[in-house]
Structure formats: C-alpha cells, structure tokens
Amino acid sequence: MAVYVYGHKNPDTDSVCAAIAVADLKSKLGVEAKPAMQGELNPESKFVLEKFGVDAPEFIDSAKGKQLILVDHSDLAQSLDDLKEGEILGIIDHHKLGDVTTPNPLECWIWPVGCTCTVIKSMYDFFGVEIPKNIAGIMLCAILSDTVIFKSATCTDKDKEAAEALAKIAGVDDLQALGMEMFKVKSAVEGTPIRDLLFRDYKDFDMSGNKVGIGQLEVVDLSILDPVKDDLYEEMKKVKEEKGAHSIFLMLTDIMKEGTELLVVSDDASVVEKAFGKAVEGRSVWLDGVMSRKKQVVPNFEKAFAG
Amino acid sequence: MAVYVYGHKNPDTDSVCAAIAVADLKSKLGVEAKPAMQGELNPESKFVLEKFGVDAPEFIDSAKGKQLILVDHSDLAQSLDDLKEGEILGIIDHHKLGDVTTPNPLECWIWPVGCTCTVIKSMYDFFGVEIPKNIAGIMLCAILSDTVIFKSATCTDKDKEAAEALAKIAGVDDLQALGMEMFKVKSAVEGTPIRDLLFRDYKDFDMSGNKVGIGQLEVVDLSILDPVKDDLYEEMKKVKEEKGAHSIFLMLTDIMKEGTELLVVSDDASVVEKAFGKAVEGRSVWLDGVMSRKKQVVPNFEKAFAG
C-alpha cells in the first residue's frame, strides 16, 4: 500500500512541490510513496511543473484507510476532513505546530525556515539521496515562491543556501529572472473567477474560538488588482457569511514595494488595530514591510484575538 | 537570555540526558542553552550522571518568560503547567505527537525510534558537532534504559547504531555490562518506602469507564522483589480502596527472563484471562515475553475491558 504525501488545502507551489519531492525521497528510501494534493494546481504551480516537466500529483479528498505524510501544514483545518480515518506516518513542515495529534510515534521534520522544500533539501542530504534535476528545479521554485525571491521576513540563510544548491543541480543560472517569471504568472488575474482568486492562497484559522480566514495575493504591482478589488471585497463578505466566520482578511501584497494592503471584512475591525497598531480606513489598511502571512500576520492576529 | 531544555514530569534517564545533550549541542551552535528538569533525579539517572561525571540539570517549575525546548514529550499534561507563559522554540522527541501547539514556527525533530537520544545523535551528526565523551556516555545510557538493553519492542536499528557509535566515543566496550549495571541500580528496592516503590513508574487509566492503575518495576532478577512482594500487594489493596479503582495491576518485569509477573488486585480478575488468555493463580500470573506496558499490556486490557 502506497503512502500518500500531501500538502494543505488550496495547494500552493510549496505544498505541491514538497509532496512530489518527499514522495521521491521516500521511494528511494524503499517506501512506496505517491504525491497527492487536496485541490487543483494554481497557475503558478502549473507553470512550475510544466517548466521542469514534472507530473501533477493525484487528487485526494479522503484519508480513509490510507497511510499519510503531511507536508507544509500541521493544522487539522488545513488537512483532509476525515484525517482520523487514516494513519499519519510523518509531518514535514515549516509552520507553527498545529493541532494534529497522533496515536502512534511518527517522523517529524519541522524547521523555522521559509519553505518546506528547504527542509526537504536537508533531508535528501541527510539520507544521502541524490536530487533529480527536475525535482531540484521545482523545489527551487517553491523556495523562490514562499520567500518571495528571498525578500520575505520568513526567509533564512538556510533557504538561500538550499536555493543556490538546488539551482546548481537544476542548471538554473539566474534565480532572480526565474522568480520574476513565476511572479508574473502569479500576478495574472485576468479571466480568473473572483472566488478562485480569493481562494488562490487562502487559509482558515481558529483564533481563540473565532473562525478567521486569511487569504493572500502576491503581485509585482498592486495596480494589477485595481480592476478586481471591488469584486474581491464583495466576495469576501459572501465567504464570511457562508463560513459563519468572525473575520475574512485578504492580503494584497506588493512584492516590489514590500508591503501589504490588508482588505478587512470583520465583526470587529478593531482587532486589526490591536494586531498592527494601525486602524482600518474604509475597507483596508496599508501595512508597510508586511509580506508574510505566517510570520507577520497570523501571530499578530492570534495575540489580538487572545487578548 | 538562556533557552531552557527540559523533559517530561517524573523525569527518567532519557528526559534528563536528552536535556543535557540538546543544551550542549545548541550551545555549540551559538544558542545559549541550559538543561533543566521538572523533578528530582531517579536513582538510575543519578547513577548515570555520576558515572560519567556530568552535572544534574537545574530544577524548573515554571515556563513564565522563558524560551523553551521540549525533549522526550509533546503532551501538555507532561509539560510545565504554565507552558503557555513561555515560548516554545523546539521539540525533540520519539513519541506520538501530543497536544502541544505553538503560535510561531519552531524546530521539531521527532522520529519513531526507541529513545530521544537516538534522534539527538543524528542531530549532532547533521550539524557536524562533535559529541563530548561524557555526554556520549549519558546518551548511550539513555538508549540502553529506554530500549531495556535493546530488548524492548520499541527498539529500532537506528537505536542500536546510535548506541554503538556513542559507545565508541564514550570509550565503553561492553554495552551489556553497562546496561546491567544501570538496571541493577534501577532494581534496588532496599530502603525505599513501599508506596514510593509502587508509584515509581505508575499510571492511571480510564478503561471503558473503569479506573485502572498499572505500575511497573523492572528488575534484573525477580527474586530481588521477594522481600517486598507481600507488602507491595497489601499496598496495592490500599491504593485500590483509596482511588475507588476497578483494578490495580503491578508488572514485576524480569528483564533477563524477558517476562512479567503481573500482581493483580481487581473487582473481577477474569479481565486478566480475557486480556492474556491466562488465568490468575492466587494473586498473580506469569506473562512470558511481556515487557512493555505501553505496547503489550495497556492495549490488551483496553480490549478486555471494552469487550
């Protein structure tokens, strides 16, 4: 029976590429393993897999009877809904420790770095397994994506070192150019249904008993989003209603200006001021230097909701 | 500010030695770190530290304002009571994943092996840090203790490999002899109050609504316990009365014969036959090959009480 390796809901490039890389590594260590994902490829991930000629993971929506390795998440809300029906063999991640628990001992590699694929690069090294050229390429892209080409507050020296080593294996000379190519794909909004855009990189959290949704769109220039901002805001209201959420936040992140316009739909918008010391004006607030949901947004909101 | 590295409540040799080793490793990686523990050294741990000339960790009972690394546990019930007042930087463990969560990304090394110190041996190797001779000695002892000199059902090839490598560094030639020396210390019962002996390694369980207590004493020869067996039995009756328990079981485990004499005080001793297919004769039953409470006793009783 194959072990399924999969990332979080609304898979991003790291979740997809990490699943592929871990399944490759485990297979070479003698464990039959298959990459999987809980949703469709986003445009960036599609571009990355096509560029390096790697097949997409298979879709899964149930843990029942499966052995599983989780990548890029350890929160129940981001995992398969019936996770308890499966057996978790391991977790490879770079986030805070979530509420997943197990009845049996397992294998966890969780490091405070910018990208799951940075951890996986070290795992390949640790086990003395060679990284295939095409998998090195997609792992590199995952790091460029998660660290916003090394600009994010979450980026560490380990991410840079891993990216450089992977670039050599993949035969990539210009990391910056590859990164911009990806982010231009990511920035494209034309022709994307509004709900898909809102959910492109969206996560639900439980913060002190409140349901909180936080999405993020990273673009090379915020003006790209001007034509869709009104529609996004209306869609956020609908999603809040449907989910019975306390708040829905959408980070519109300008990777060149290195800051985020936070769109806010909330039962109590004062949590934003509590979290960032800056009040919402109208429907949003500009947060200078804020680019990372994980490091700069989630912890601040968690404190604000707890207080 | 130093980072405190500490193991679970009622510290055993692995919790103590893992805290010391991780604090050493972290210090050499440039992080000021101190080993700590939540209770007093047990006789075995005391012997191990004295044998290799290593200082005992300092006692801590509060997480308040501290940065922390947890070793050998990830359950809130086994950690500092006010854990939420501190900041968890990492977890190094070999158990199932417990209910500890964090607001921030952290460093987890959790592997399905027999001992935390086996994981730490790999961490030293990973970071290219040399293990000091005396710390290799106590890490070796932790592995010998947790795996009952490689006999436990939890022991893996990784534990054996780590122990052999550590023995070389520590200058230990005869692992078996060192293990026996430790277990003789652990076996000593003279001068210990009967209740302390019964509670030395004791846990309460809820099995299908029944309160069940299971203790364990591991000795190198059951005859060591002959002088205290009557008193232990009387004490078990008292404890059953006081706790209003359905059953109190005490595993007298002979690590050389590789089996357990199970002392039984129960409202219905037939659960023992249901659990192990062997009836109690008088006040106890011999269970050949049974050495692990976690893996061989608790699951059987849980099924017997459920059926």
Side-chain angles (χ1 to χ4, degrees):
Chain A
M1 191 177 68
V3 176
Y4 287 81
V5 187
Y6 71 100
H8 54 70
K9 288 197 163 83
N10 301 311
D12 62 3
T13 299
D14 189 27
S15 265
V16 168
C17 299
I20 293 169
V22 169
D24 174 70
L25 173 60
K26 282 287 169 187
S27 298
K28 283 166 184 168
L29 293 172
V31 179
E32 198 197 330
K34 277 186 187 176
M37 58 182 178
Q38 296 192 66
E40 286 186 19
L41 291 178
N42 68 28
E44 184 194 67
S45 304
K46 197 158 178 276
F47 164 81
V48 166
L49 295 191
E50 279 170 8
K51 184 168 183 79
F52 289 95
V54 175
D55 289 337
E58 71 178 82
F59 175 77
I60 52 165
D61 60 1
S62 170
K64 200 163 183 182
K66 294 191 181 80
Q67 291 191 307
L68 305 160
I69 295 175
L70 281 55
V71 296
D72 202 25
H73 73 291
S74 66
D75 277 303
L76 291 172
Q78 295 174 23
S79 210
L80 289 163
D81 292 334
D82 62 350
L83 184 56
K84 289 202 170 160
E85 306 291 319
E87 185 192 357
I88 302 173
L89 299 189
I91 302 174
I92 298 134
D93 192 17
H94 68 120
H95 295 89
K96 68 198 184 66
L97 189 59
D99 51 3
V100 167
T101 60
T102 66
N104 296 313
L106 78 171
E107 180 182 359
C108 294
W109 298 72
I110 306 172
W111 293 357
V113 293
C115 181
T116 309
C117 283
T118 299
V119 182
I120 300 168
K121 164 69 172 67
S122 284
M123 290 175 69
Y124 271 104
D125 293 346
F126 178 84
F127 291 109
V129 173
E130 212 173 300
I131 308 178
K133 190 172 174 178
N134 58 350
I135 289 182
I138 65 171
M139 289 170 70
L140 167 61
C141 288
I143 297 174
L144 293 171
S145 173
D146 264 20
T147 66
V148 193
I149 320 177
F150 311 130
K151 282 181 191 168
S152 165
T154 62
C155 186
T156 68
D157 288 342
K158 279 211 177 72
D159 297 300
K160 288 178 203 161
E161 286 162 25
E164 274 156 29
L166 290 166
K168 265 189 201 151
I169 299 168
V172 172
D173 295 325
D174 191 338
L175 296 189
Q176 194 66 30
L178 175 61
M180 284 307 284
E181 210 182 340
M182 281 172 51
F183 274 96
K184 271 176 196 153
V185 173
K186 196 174 191 170
S187 301
V189 295
E190 275 168 51
T192 309
I194 282 297
R195 178 146 302 205
D196 291 1
L197 204 55
L198 176 55
F199 281 159
R200 188 178 273 177
D201 180 8
Y202 172 94
K203 284 177 188 173
D204 279 316
F205 298 87
D206 181 317
M207 296 194 179
S208 301
N210 301 292
K211 200 164 188 179
V212 177
I214 310 179
Q216 183 173 26
L217 292 172
E218 291 164 314
V219 292
V220 288
D221 186 336
L222 273 194
S223 67
I224 292 170
L225 296 172
D226 284 344
V228 292
K229 214 187 274 183
D230 290 347
D231 290 345
L232 279 171
Y233 190 72
E234 292 308 313
E235 202 64 28
M236 287 166 68
K237 285 190 194 164
K238 280 186 210 158
V239 168
K240 178 176 177 304
E241 188 75 28
E242 287 166 20
K243 288 185 183 277
H246 178 285
S247 303
I248 305 288
F249 302 114
L250 181 59
M251 300 171 62
L252 308 178
T253 301
D254 189 318
I255 71 164
M256 300 314 287
K257 285 209 193 90
E258 304 193 14
T260 288
E261 181 182 350
L262 189 73
L263 276 180
V264 177
V265 177
S266 176
D267 287 342
D268 176 10
S270 74
V271 291
V272 176
E273 190 166 4
K274 263 193 216 160
F276 297 99
K278 214 174 155 187
V280 178
E281 289 176 29
R283 59 189 186 185
S284 72
V285 59
W286 172 255
L287 302 173
D288 210 46
V290 170
M291 298 179 74
S292 164
R293 173 171 52 198
K294 184 175 73 173
K295 220 163 178 170
Q296 297 171 292
V297 173
V298 171
N300 288 35
F301 272 131
E302 276 186 336
K303 268 182 217 152
F305 275 98
Chain B
M1 190 177 67
V3 176
Y4 287 81
V5 187
Y6 71 100
H8 55 72
K9 289 200 162 83
N10 300 313
D12 61 5
T13 298
D14 188 27
S15 265
V16 169
C17 299
I20 293 169
V22 169
D24 174 71
L25 174 60
K26 284 286 167 187
S27 299
K28 284 167 183 166
L29 294 172
V31 179
E32 198 196 331
K34 276 186 189 178
M37 58 182 177
Q38 296 190 65
E40 287 185 19
L41 291 178
N42 68 26
E44 184 194 68
S45 304
K46 195 157 181 277
F47 163 81
V48 166
L49 296 190
E50 278 170 8
K51 182 166 185 83
F52 290 96
V54 176
D55 289 338
E58 71 178 81
F59 175 78
I60 52 166
D61 59 2
S62 171
K64 200 164 183 180
K66 294 191 181 81
Q67 291 192 307
L68 305 160
I69 295 175
L70 280 54
V71 295
D72 202 24
H73 73 292
S74 66
D75 277 303
L76 291 171
Q78 294 175 24
S79 210
L80 289 163
D81 292 333
D82 62 351
L83 184 56
K84 289 203 168 160
E85 307 291 319
E87 185 191 358
I88 302 173
L89 300 187
I91 302 174
I92 298 134
D93 192 17
H94 69 119
H95 294 90
K96 67 196 184 70
L97 189 59
D99 51 2
V100 166
T101 60
T102 66
N104 297 312
L106 77 171
E107 180 183 359
C108 295
W109 299 71
I110 306 172
W111 294 357
V113 293
C115 180
T116 309
C117 283
T118 299
V119 182
I120 301 167
K121 165 67 172 66
S122 285
M123 291 176 67
Y124 271 104
D125 293 345
F126 179 84
F127 291 108
V129 173
E130 212 172 301
I131 308 178
K133 192 173 173 177
N134 58 350
I135 288 181
I138 65 171
M139 288 171 70
L140 168 61
C141 287
I143 297 174
L144 293 172
S145 173
D146 263 20
T147 66
V148 192
I149 321 177
F150 312 131
K151 283 179 190 168
S152 164
T154 61
C155 184
T156 69
D157 287 343
K158 278 209 176 74
D159 297 298
K160 288 178 203 163
E161 286 161 23
E164 273 155 30
L166 291 165
K168 266 188 202 152
I169 300 168
V172 172
D173 295 324
D174 191 338
L175 296 188
Q176 195 66 29
L178 175 60
M180 285 303 288
E181 212 182 338
M182 282 172 52
F183 275 94
K184 272 178 196 153
V185 173
K186 197 175 191 171
S187 303
V189 295
E190 274 169 53
T192 310
I194 282 297
R195 179 146 304 206
D196 292 1
L197 205 55
L198 176 55
F199 282 157
R200 188 178 274 176
D201 180 7
Y202 173 93
K203 284 178 186 167
D204 279 316
F205 299 86
D206 181 317
M207 296 192 178
S208 303
N210 302 292
K211 201 164 189 182
V212 176
I214 311 179
Q216 182 172 28
L217 292 171
E218 291 166 314
V219 292
V220 289
D221 186 335
L222 276 194
S223 67
I224 292 170
L225 296 172
D226 285 345
V228 293
K229 212 186 276 184
D230 290 346
D231 290 345
L232 278 170
Y233 191 72
E234 292 307 313
E235 201 65 28
M236 287 168 68
K237 284 190 195 166
K238 279 188 211 158
V239 168
K240 177 176 178 303
E241 187 76 29
E242 288 166 22
K243 287 185 183 276
H246 178 285
S247 303
I248 304 289
F249 302 114
L250 181 59
M251 298 171 64
L252 308 177
T253 301
D254 188 317
I255 70 163
M256 299 314 289
K257 286 209 192 90
E258 304 193 16
T260 288
E261 182 182 348
L262 189 73
L263 276 180
V264 176
V265 177
S266 176
D267 287 343
D268 176 11
S270 75
V271 290
V272 177
E273 190 166 1
K274 266 194 216 160
F276 298 99
K278 216 176 155 186
V280 179
E281 292 177 27
R283 61 188 185 186
S284 72
V285 59
W286 172 256
L287 302 173
D288 210 46
V290 170
M291 298 179 74
S292 164
R293 175 171 53 198
K294 185 174 67 173
K295 257 188 152 144
Q296 297 171 293
V297 173
V298 171
N300 287 34
F301 273 131
E302 276 182 339
K303 267 181 219 155
F305 275 98

